[in-house]
Amino acid sequence: PKMKNSCLHAALICLGVLCYSHAIPTGKLNHTRPSLHGHHEKGKEGQVLHRSKRGWVWNQFFVIEEYTGPDPVLVGRLHSDIDSGDGNIKYILSGEGAGIIFVIDDKSGNIHATKTLDREERAQYTLTAQAVDRNTNRPLEPPSEFIVKVQDINDNPPEFLHENYHANVPERSNVGTSVIQVTASDADDPTYGNSAKLVYSILEGQPYFSVEAQTGIIRTALPNMDREAKEEYHVVIQAKDMGGHMGGLSGTTKVTITLTDVNDNPPKFPQSVYQMSVSEAAVPGEEVGRVKAKDPDIGENGLVAYSIIDGDGMDMFEITTDYETQEGVVKLKKLLDFETKKSYSLKVEAANVHIDPKFISNGPFKDTVTVKISVEDADEPPVFLKPSYIFEVQENAASGTVVGKVHAKDPDAANSAIRYSIDRHTDLERYFIINAEDGNIKTIKALDREEIAWHNISVFAVEVHKQHQEAKVPVAIKVVDVNDNAPKFAAAYEAFVCENARSNQQFITISADDKDDSANGPRFIFSLPPEIIHNPNFTLRDNRDNTASVLVRREGFSRQKQDLYLLPIVISDGGLPPMSSTNTLTIRVCGCDSNGSLLSCNAEAYILNAGLSTGALIAILACIVILLVIVVLFVTLKRQKKEPLIVFEEEDVRENIITYDDEGGGEEDTEAFDIATLQNPDGINGFIPRKDIKPEYQYMPRPGLRPAPNSVDVDDFINTRIQEADNDPTAPPYDSIQIYGYEGRGSVAGSLSSLESATTDSDLDYDYLQNWGPRFKKLADLYGSKDTFDDDS
């Protein structure tokens, strides 16, 4: 927007001199204005537009951090050229920290900092100044932003990233080899002064190491530093700000530098000759002695390999390297004979495994030594001609059968006689015996391969005149199989066949086991006994893979007629001579659905429902008819008899009335009421048990509520019974079903009994029940057409 010619101009007072005393810093007037003089712009139709000049002159203000003077710090002054000094203009300050850190005198425009500022916490603040009319608060100039920067002082010492550093450098490194770089940081302003300009120096660690002043890189300062002389060095590095000048702040860190090993030392034997001795009784592989060449290097640089390079014992001895102890182990390679040769000489070499080409000029990294070995005479024990023996004997062989023969001799010149014996700890059952003179082993009792297939025993050989000279040899005796076991079922099979099974349907596969070796039973043969080879119910098929399948021969089985079949099966092996056994397979008849899934294998339900014959049903119906006739006659006589209203005790005919737990005589029995029916024997004691469930506790009626047993007052009797029933927790209502033996007579609904339906000549066809699924199968069996089945097994 355009401004009038009478626009206000602002003057900015900047405090440029920073003082570290308690006095208020002085300033100088800054009359500089921003480059806001308008430049020409062309508008529409060539009209020249002039950009208006702002009435505020602004710049950055500065305030020193950490100032602790007694008075607030004067940051600067705001003034408008429209201000005539009469107090009509009010200066307002807003923005970051306004009113809290920075306050303004609304009359003079002086800005003060009321708190100590920390540049490291906040480096600058953005504020907005405005001049308004004091009376109307109408803005006289548009608001203008300016920045107050916190000027840095050196109040933070340098800090290293780590308190301790660890570094490695190879020994024998050249001077100036870089070891590690340490880095420090300074929280002061790096763009102002030298408060954050760091210089590194070394306080401890000369003359071995040095540090670059600007980068903090530590380097080696001495050549040929030897790890074997000193391995670890402790270096202290200092970082100082202000460019390292006087008055700067500093920080230090510790650096632990370890010299890593290089192969700069060859192995060296501490002596020139080693003396060793070995007994002629030593066996090949036995250790004779050890040699060791010392190498001050460590790790792979100190690894030493030993070898025999010359000597008359190269064929009799060998040397290996024990890398844990760095020793050369001399071992016997062949058997020695004192009578043939009594001493040997070896030349052993020790050489580094890994050689560093940089130090090849230090000399050959190997050394040699002479090893002299003397052979000592020994009284040797007997020696078996073989290290072990393996014999075979057939099972069930007779006692005294020869198994095999062992032989040992005395290697000494005396050639003493040998006696043999069996270590009984290896033959606790005493199956074998050995001839002490010639070493023949025989059986004592029959052997069973199925019980023990191998016998592992040990035989001792002892010199006759030197009992302490003893030798032992292992003897393995294999029991050869004889076909003496018949094959049997592999498991306790129990088969299930469906009632609706189809002909030639397979329902189980069986296999067999034979304790004998496979050589005596390479294949099992399954068959039915000759007497039932033509079994009408089942047949057997040999699968020729040591299994057999059992199949159904006929269609349809009935659990009512027979629910269990026993099928004998003969199993033979292929041994010489062959062995066979007869095993019985249990087959149960079960009910299945249309998919062949088993539903039930229990025949009791069918037996209870369908097991009654026609004569038994007729007898039951006759009994029921007779009972019904008796009941009808009894009810008819009772209706015709008129009893007096008052019955004397001695003429009480109710004593001969039999009480039934039923509701009455039917729909037409409404002519009389007999209180004796209510006084049933179970209710005399005041407790009527529930018929459907067992109550959790018994109800005891309260005394005094029950009327006298012979009372004829029906109203009192009924009220008493109602009160007892209301207070009885075991009394109805509850879900129950009451079954009555007598339905009554003359009901318009007719008889509900289905007992006579079996005797009537009904022309209804119930065969459709067979198509209703397994749930209606029992009804289909009772009322549908029945097939007769052969019960032969």
Side-chain angles (χ1 to χ4, degrees):
K2 292 184 177 181
M3 302 182 62
K4 298 179 180 179
N5 294 330
S6 61
C7 66
L8 300 177
H9 296 283
L12 175 64
I13 300 175
C14 295
L15 300 177
V17 179
L18 303 178
C19 186
Y20 290 96
S21 65
H22 294 287
I24 300 176
T26 60
K28 65 178 182 178
L29 186 62
N30 188 349
H31 295 284
T32 61
R33 295 176 180 267
S35 179
L36 297 177
H37 298 286
H39 63 275
H40 299 286
E41 295 181 358
K42 291 185 179 181
K44 297 180 180 179
E45 298 180 358
Q47 181 181 359
V48 178
L49 301 179
H50 297 275
R51 178 181 292 177
S52 61
K53 295 184 294 181
R54 298 183 61 180
W56 291 99
V57 177
W58 60 276
N59 204 339
Q60 289 184 347
F61 289 170
F62 294 89
V63 59
I64 190 170
E65 70 167 332
E66 304 292 349
Y67 177 73
T68 57
D71 299 323
V73 179
L74 177 62
V75 178
R77 182 181 182 187
L78 300 177
H79 186 72
S80 176
D81 54 5
I82 199 175
D83 186 0
S84 60
D86 55 2
N88 290 330
I89 294 180
K90 180 180 180 181
Y91 296 98
I92 299 174
L93 187 66
S94 62
E96 298 173 344
I100 301 175
I101 300 176
F102 303 101
V103 296
I104 187 171
D105 188 338
D106 60 355
K107 293 182 179 181
S108 64
N110 291 335
I111 302 174
H112 291 83
T114 61
K115 293 184 179 180
T116 301
L117 303 180
D118 186 359
R119 189 202 67 83
E120 288 70 39
E121 180 179 346
R122 186 159 188 172
Q124 66 182 25
Y125 298 84
T126 302
L127 300 172
T128 302
Q130 190 176 18
V132 300
D133 189 283
R134 184 178 296 276
N135 298 322
T136 63
N137 284 331
R138 181 177 60 85
L140 301 178
E141 296 290 347
S144 179
E145 284 188 353
F146 63 94
I147 296 174
V148 177
K149 280 195 172 183
V150 182
Q151 190 167 345
D152 183 54
I153 64 173
N154 189 19
D155 60 341
N156 289 278
E159 294 183 357
F160 283 92
L161 298 180
H162 304 285
E163 184 178 353
N164 293 286
Y165 289 84
H166 296 273
N168 298 322
V169 64
E171 63 173 332
R172 307 287 183 181
S173 296
N174 296 327
V175 175
T177 301
S178 175
V179 179
I180 190 176
Q181 182 178 16
V182 294
T183 305
S185 61
D186 196 318
D188 293 324
D189 189 359
T191 64
Y192 178 78
N194 295 326
S195 298
K197 185 177 181 180
L198 305 180
V199 174
Y200 299 93
S201 61
I202 184 168
L203 300 183
E204 296 181 15
Q206 302 96 337
Y208 306 103
F209 300 95
S210 62
V211 65
E212 292 184 358
Q214 304 301 325
T215 63
I217 298 177
I218 301 175
R219 301 182 182 274
T220 59
L222 285 181
N224 297 324
M225 285 191 292
D226 190 3
R227 184 200 66 83
E228 287 74 33
K230 185 176 181 180
E231 183 177 5
E232 192 173 82
Y233 296 84
H234 298 281
V235 179
V236 178
I237 302 297
Q238 180 190 66
K240 190 173 183 180
D241 59 13
M242 299 300 292
H245 295 93
M246 185 72 68
L249 304 178
S250 64
T252 61
T253 186
K254 294 180 180 179
V255 183
T256 302
I257 301 176
T258 303
L259 297 182
T260 58
D261 184 65
V262 297
N263 191 11
D264 57 341
N265 295 281
K268 186 71 175 177
F269 282 106
Q271 59 194 67
S272 58
V273 178
Y274 283 87
Q275 295 286 347
M276 299 179 184
S277 62
V278 60
S279 172
E280 66 168 340
V283 296
E286 185 173 333
E287 181 179 329
V288 177
R290 294 188 173 217
V291 296
K292 184 175 183 179
K294 295 183 178 180
D295 190 332
D297 296 323
I298 60 174
E300 66 176 14
N301 298 318
L303 294 179
V304 179
Y306 298 88
S307 61
I308 300 175
I309 59 175
D310 198 6
D312 59 0
M314 292 183 63
D315 295 334
M316 304 299 295
F317 300 93
E318 62 182 355
I319 189 168
T320 60
T321 302
D322 186 346
Y323 286 103
E324 292 185 2
T325 61
Q326 289 299 301
E327 294 177 322
V329 182
V330 180
K331 295 182 179 180
L332 183 63
K333 192 175 181 181
K334 295 181 180 180
L335 290 174
L336 301 173
D337 188 3
F338 174 78
E339 289 74 22
T340 303
K341 189 173 178 61
K342 296 178 175 59
S343 65
Y344 296 89
S345 178
L346 302 173
K347 189 176 183 179
V348 177
E349 179 184 79
N352 277 139
V353 177
H354 303 282
I355 299 177
D356 193 338
K358 297 179 182 178
F359 306 100
I360 194 69
S361 60
N362 289 7
F365 286 82
K366 57 185 177 181
D367 194 15
T368 59
V369 70
T370 301
V371 178
K372 293 184 178 181
I373 303 173
S374 59
V375 181
E376 297 178 350
D377 189 18
D379 185 10
E380 302 174 65
V383 177
F384 282 95
L385 298 185
K386 295 182 180 180
S388 62
Y389 293 86
I390 299 178
F391 301 128
E392 290 185 357
V393 61
Q394 282 194 346
E395 67 174 326
N396 302 327
S399 177
T401 301
V402 177
V403 177
K405 181 179 180 180
V406 298
H407 184 69
K409 67 176 183 178
D410 183 9
D412 296 327
N415 195 14
S416 301
I418 305 298
R419 296 186 64 86
Y420 303 94
S421 62
I422 296 177
D423 183 2
R424 288 305 172 187
H425 292 92
T426 61
D427 185 25
L428 297 176
E429 299 294 331
R430 295 185 175 270
Y431 287 103
F432 306 97
I433 190 173
I434 189 170
N435 189 304
E437 304 296 335
D438 58 12
N440 277 323
I441 302 175
K442 299 180 181 180
T443 60
I444 300 177
K445 52 186 177 181
L447 306 177
D448 187 359
R449 188 203 68 87
E450 287 70 42
E451 181 179 351
I452 303 176
W454 283 85
H455 294 267
N456 297 301
I457 65 174
S458 297
V459 175
F460 290 111
V462 182
E463 295 182 15
V464 175
H465 302 293
K466 298 178 182 178
Q467 298 294 328
H468 64 282
Q469 293 295 347
E470 181 182 76
K472 184 169 69 172
V473 67
V475 178
I477 301 173
K478 179 182 178 181
V479 182
V480 180
D481 183 50
V482 175
N483 192 23
D484 57 348
N485 289 277
K488 296 181 179 179
F489 275 161
Y493 293 108
E494 185 175 7
F496 301 92
V497 64
C498 296
E499 289 182 305
N500 55 358
R502 301 184 305 275
S503 178
N504 294 325
Q505 179 181 350
Q506 174 183 336
F507 61 91
I508 189 173
T509 299
I510 60 175
S511 60
D513 284 337
D514 194 334
K515 294 182 180 180
D516 291 323
D517 190 39
S518 59
N520 287 313
R523 191 179 74 81
F524 298 120
I525 301 173
F526 299 84
S527 63
L528 295 178
E531 59 272 14
I532 62 168
I533 192 67
H534 300 293
N535 187 292
N537 300 314
F538 307 101
T539 184
L540 184 70
R541 181 180 64 202
D542 194 335
N543 297 325
R544 298 183 179 275
D545 60 354
N546 290 335
T547 65
S549 300
V550 183
L551 296 84
V552 177
R553 172 163 286 184
R554 64 180 176 86
E555 292 185 356
F557 290 85
S558 175
R559 280 184 290 173
Q560 292 82 359
K561 293 184 177 181
Q562 186 172 350
D563 64 341
L564 183 67
Y565 295 87
L566 300 177
L567 182 66
I569 298 176
V570 178
I571 308 176
S572 303
D573 59 22
L576 293 175
M579 300 287 291
S580 63
S581 66
T582 301
N583 302 263
T584 301
L585 177 65
T586 302
I587 304 173
R588 293 188 180 276
V589 180
C590 301
C592 305
D593 57 13
S594 59
N595 297 326
S597 300
L598 295 179
L599 295 178
S600 174
C601 295
N602 187 5
E604 294 179 359
Y606 288 91
I607 294 173
L608 292 176
N609 292 331
L612 296 176
S613 62
T614 305
L617 290 176
I618 295 174
I620 293 174
L621 291 175
C623 294
I624 293 175
V625 171
I626 294 173
L627 291 175
L628 290 176
V629 171
I630 294 174
V631 172
V632 171
L633 292 176
F634 177 78
V635 172
T636 303
L637 293 174
K638 184 173 183 63
R639 287 180 178 178
Q640 295 176 357
K641 183 178 180 180
K642 295 182 179 180
E643 297 179 356
L645 294 178
I646 300 177
V647 182
F648 296 99
E649 183 175 357
E650 61 274 4
E651 296 178 357
D652 192 354
V653 296
R654 290 176 294 177
E655 296 177 356
N656 299 325
I657 296 177
I658 300 175
T659 302
Y660 296 94
D661 292 331
D662 54 30
E663 289 185 337
E667 295 177 351
E668 295 181 357
D669 188 6
T670 58
E671 297 177 358
F673 176 80
D674 188 3
I675 194 173
T677 305
L678 300 176
Q679 291 181 329
N680 59 72
D682 293 333
I684 294 300
N685 296 326
F687 170 69
I688 303 176
R690 294 176 60 167
K691 304 299 182 181
D692 58 336
I693 64 172
K694 181 179 180 180
E696 296 181 358
Y697 57 91
Q698 301 295 336
Y699 168 70
M700 299 303 295
R702 292 178 295 175
L705 297 177
R706 183 170 54 88
N710 297 325
S711 175
V712 294
D713 191 344
V714 177
D715 185 71
D716 293 340
F717 183 89
I718 295 298
N719 290 335
T720 302
R721 286 293 182 263
I722 292 175
Q723 186 175 1
E724 290 179 358
D726 291 340
N727 297 323
D728 184 7
T730 65
Y734 47 78
D735 293 338
S736 64
I737 179 170
Q738 300 293 335
I739 300 175
Y740 302 98
Y742 174 60
E743 293 181 350
R745 65 177 182 174
S747 174
V748 296
S751 175
L752 299 178
S753 175
S754 61
L755 295 177
E756 295 180 359
S757 61
T759 59
T760 59
D761 296 329
S762 175
D763 57 351
L764 295 179
D765 184 14
Y766 293 95
D767 291 340
Y768 62 89
L769 294 175
Q770 297 180 358
N771 300 326
W772 285 14
R775 297 179 180 271
F776 295 90
K777 189 174 186 307
K778 292 184 179 181
L779 291 176
D781 293 339
L782 290 174
Y783 295 98
S785 60
K786 299 182 181 179
D787 298 333
T788 59
F789 301 101
D790 190 358
D791 294 341
D792 297 336
S793 53

